[in-house]
Amino acid sequence: MRDLTLVLIAVGAWIAIGFLTAWWMARRGHRHPSWLFMGAVFGPVLALVAPMRVLRHPRRLARTETGPRRPGGLRVLVGVDGSAESLAALDLATGLLGPYTESLVAAEVVGYDAAEDDWDGSTVAAKSRLNSAAERSGGRVASCEVLAGPPAQALARYAHEQRIDLIIVGRHGRGLSKRLLGNVAQELVREGTVPVLVAGGRQNPSDR
């Protein structure tokens, strides 16, 4: 009986280490469910190879020009993911800053693995949500961007490279994203070099 207990403890520890490694990878932009399977099977082995597998540089996947640019104004980036909070961020950007922006950019971030083969349709879904956001803005959104990587890092890197003046994001994301991937708004405020405005969950009266 004692031997069986030791075996069960060893198996549990093996799987737990693998799952923790998969979670660590998800926080760094690798969200394919196959990593959970690999974590359960390979356990500590995955922990050893994960640092070499994880990509460290967020990148742009797709860009769509959707509206005009107005020279001389602010360059504003809005994080979009289809949640009520991200729609509130978009409404805040268009309603409060729309007339004063040179370019209003809507961006959604997908995982690195989805970027490689779009295994779950994330890229297609992101493009669809961004198109809806552009329509919702009434022509204020100048371009839509699909980025790949950890959400906060991808938005911060894009903002730095494109000389964005202000990032606007919702307080929380969709579903389990806060628990699994962390709070994007908090990470941007804590680590970013670009000013961040965090919107609540209220939407336009027309949405009620």
Side-chain angles (χ1 to χ4, degrees), residues 70-157:
R70 303 171 180 84
L74 293 171
R75 298 171 66 86
V76 180
L77 173 65
V78 182
V80 175
D81 65 3
S83 67
E85 286 78 9
S86 74
L87 294 179
L90 177 67
D91 293 341
L92 179 63
T94 56
L96 182 63
L97 300 174
Y100 311 103
T101 59
E102 173 183 329
S103 63
L104 179 59
V105 181
E108 180 160 350
V109 184
V110 300
Y112 286 123
D113 303 301
E116 292 176 4
D117 59 12
D118 203 22
W119 56 273
D120 63 350
S122 295
T123 303
V124 173
K127 290 179 179 179
S128 176
R129 282 190 289 268
L130 288 169
N131 287 335
S132 297
E135 294 177 2
R136 181 186 181 91
S137 73
R140 298 284 190 187
V141 170
S143 65
C144 296
E145 305 276 358
V146 180
L147 310 175
Q153 293 179 26
L155 292 173
R157 184 183 179 91

Side-chain angles (χ1 to χ4, degrees), residues 15-40:
I15 294 174
I17 292 172
F19 281 170
L20 286 173
T21 302
W23 170 80
W24 179 82
M25 294 182 70
R27 290 290 301 269
R28 284 152 182 78
H30 294 266
R31 306 174 208 161
H32 198 292
S34 65
W35 293 118
L36 288 172
F37 172 77
M38 293 179 67

